[in-house]
Structures are given as C-alpha cells and as structure tokens.
Amino acid sequence: MITALVLGFFNFSIYYYLTVNSIYLLLLVTAYFSIREHKKTTQLIDSLKNRAPVFAPPISILAPAFNEEKSIVDSARSFLKLAYPRFEILIINDGSKDETLSRLIQEFRLEKVTLPHDPMISKTEIRGTYRSPVHPNLVVIDKANGGKADALNVGISYASHDLLCNVDSDSVLEEEALFKVAIPFIRDPERTIASGGTIRVINGCTVKRSTITKVALPRAPIALAQVVEYTRAFLCGRVGWNAFNATLVISGAFGLFKKS
C-alpha cells in the first residue's frame, strides 16, 4: 500500500509539473505576440502627447497610505512627474501612526481646505483634507484607520474624474504610465471598464529624485526569486492571458477603472 501511494504521488507530481509548465510555455508564446502588438502603441502615445488635451480622458490617482513615512514623499513626487495632461492625485492617509501626514504637509506646504465628497460611499471619520498651493492637483485626505479598501472608497468619494487609477503609495510610476494604461479607454471608451499595467520589483534599482535612473537586479537570493516570479506573473502570465481576452485580475498596485 505504501509503495502504491508513493508511486501515485510521484506520477501525480510529474503530470502536474508537465501540465503547469505546458500552460506557462503556451502563455509565454502568446505573450510574445501580445507584447509585439503592444509595441505599436508607441506611435499612438507620441500622437496623444501632441493632442492629449482633446483625446486623453482626465484621471484621478488614488493612493492609500498607512505608515509610509520613508517612501511617501518620493512616491508623491513620482506621481507629480507623470507626463499626462489632466490628472489629480489623492493621497489617503489611512490613520497612519508615524510621520506620513506631517512629512507630506512639510514637503508640499499643504494647506487645510474643505472639499466636496459623497459621504454615502464611506462613513469613516475624515479628520481633514489638504491641498498643495505649489501643486494644485495634489490633495491629501486624512482619515481614521479603516483598511485599504475603505481608504479607496474614501478616495472615490472625493475623486473629481470618471477614471480612477489605484496605486500603492510606495510605488514609483514611469513617466508615460498613465498614457499606456489609458489607451484601452481611448480606443473603446464604451466597453472598457478596467485596464492594468506591469509591476516590477524596485529592489536593486537606483532611484534619484523620485525617478528610476538605473534598472538592476538585487543581490539577495529571496529578492532575486521575487524578480523572477513577478516577471513570470506579469510579462508571461497576465500578458499571455490578455491575448485570449481572459485577464484574470487587475493588480491593486496599478490599475485604471471606470468610476461608475
């Protein structure tokens, strides 16, 4: 009986390994053609930059933050550097217990203001809302802790635009990120409800003035394994499924959604 169980487990492991890796191989092939097709959007992005105010829909960036004092300023500056004509940045301080809010107030000279919002979306206590006189499109919402989902709901209640870009507050976005993720909405605004971008691990990269100046691999073995996994999951997995019109999930770290 023990021999039969061991052989059964051994056979199952082989079939499982062959099946999973065959699927990954198929996704790798389809991802190649999908990425090759996606490269054609470069000309569209260049065209949009010249005629962006007419064709590019305005976007509200929602960035929930909880105890992010070490990275929040760099992330906010990377958001402000985005090459996009009309967008606002809503950083939602989700009851942080560190200096997240004070660092934002000091760095961007935030002033307390009263802003309209929909109180039906979230009942969480709002402690204050702030706007930067230097960067009028930067808004900070200070609220009681309620978790990331609740912070996003509060951000939605204050958002001015019909497209919402959800990002992690410790993310650094490429300059053309909003253009790239908005293209599906520009091509088919009626049927498109969400689009996502590729997430990469920043470990090992060089960041200067909130901009990635050099892409490199980390030295730590665990971080290296994470880079491999992210590459497989995004450039092979999600891009491969996208070729079949079968996107499984939009990453919470960077995704664009219709507000409705």
Side-chain angles (χ1 to χ4, degrees):
M1 182 182 296
I2 294 176
T3 302
L5 288 174
V6 172
L7 287 174
F9 176 76
F10 180 72
N11 290 330
F12 170 79
S13 299
I14 291 177
Y15 289 133
Y16 176 80
Y17 176 84
L18 290 174
T19 302
V20 169
N21 282 276
S22 296
I23 294 173
Y24 285 158
L25 179 60
L26 173 63
L27 292 176
L28 180 62
V29 173
T30 57
Y32 166 77
F33 291 103
S34 184
I35 291 174
R36 192 174 67 173
E37 183 69 21
H38 182 71
K39 284 185 177 181
K40 297 178 182 178
T41 61
T42 303
Q43 294 180 347
L44 178 57
I45 291 175
D46 293 337
S47 176
L48 281 173
K49 285 181 178 179
N50 299 325
R51 296 177 289 175
V54 178
F55 294 101
I59 294 173
S60 295
I61 298 174
L62 310 182
F66 177 72
N67 293 347
E68 300 284 357
E69 64 178 4
K70 293 182 179 180
S71 61
I72 192 63
V73 171
D74 283 338
S75 294
R77 289 200 176 279
S78 78
F79 300 152
L80 289 167
K81 289 181 179 180
L82 290 170
Y84 200 78
R86 293 177 293 170
F87 69 97
E88 64 176 357
I89 304 161
L90 303 175
I91 298 177
I92 306 101
N93 180 44
D94 190 29
S96 296
K97 296 181 173 72
D98 61 359
E99 301 300 317
T100 297
L101 180 61
S102 60
R103 288 211 61 192
L104 287 168
I105 292 175
Q106 181 180 3
E107 187 70 24
F108 300 104
R109 292 187 282 171
L110 299 179
E111 298 176 352
K112 206 162 190 178
V113 295
T114 301
L115 298 173
H117 73 290
D118 184 356
M120 297 301 294
I121 297 180
S122 174
K123 299 295 184 181
T124 305
E125 175 193 2
I126 306 298
R127 297 170 179 171
T129 51
Y130 304 81
R131 187 187 294 276
S132 170
V134 183
H135 306 283
N137 62 332
L138 175 61
V139 172
V140 175
I141 304 163
D142 184 31
K143 62 181 283 292
N145 182 261
K148 182 178 180 179
D150 182 67
L152 286 172
N153 282 336
V154 169
I156 292 171
S157 71
Y158 280 91
S160 304
H161 304 312
D162 293 330
L163 291 184
L164 308 176
C165 182
N166 301 348
V167 298
D168 284 347
S169 57
D170 58 353
S171 298
V172 176
L173 300 184
E174 291 183 354
E175 189 176 305
E176 295 180 344
L178 288 186
F179 271 119
K180 292 178 180 179
V181 81
I183 284 177
F185 288 91
I186 297 171
R187 283 178 167 169
D188 193 350
E190 296 299 323
R191 295 193 302 166
T192 304
I193 60 173
S195 65
T198 298
I199 311 298
R200 296 187 178 94
V201 180
I202 203 171
N203 297 44
C205 299
T206 302
V207 181
K208 292 182 179 179
R209 296 182 180 180
S210 308
T211 302
I212 297 176
T213 57
K214 181 182 178 181
V215 177
L217 294 173
R219 295 183 178 180
I222 294 179
L224 276 171
Q226 189 182 24
V227 170
V228 173
E229 172 59 19
Y230 267 63
T231 303
R232 184 202 63 77
F234 283 93
L235 294 183
C236 297
R238 299 191 190 186
V239 176
W241 284 117
N242 187 60
F244 297 104
N245 287 329
T247 300
L248 300 175
V249 64
I250 301 295
S251 174
F254 182 50
L256 189 63
F257 302 85
K258 268 188 178 177
K259 186 176 183 179
S260 57

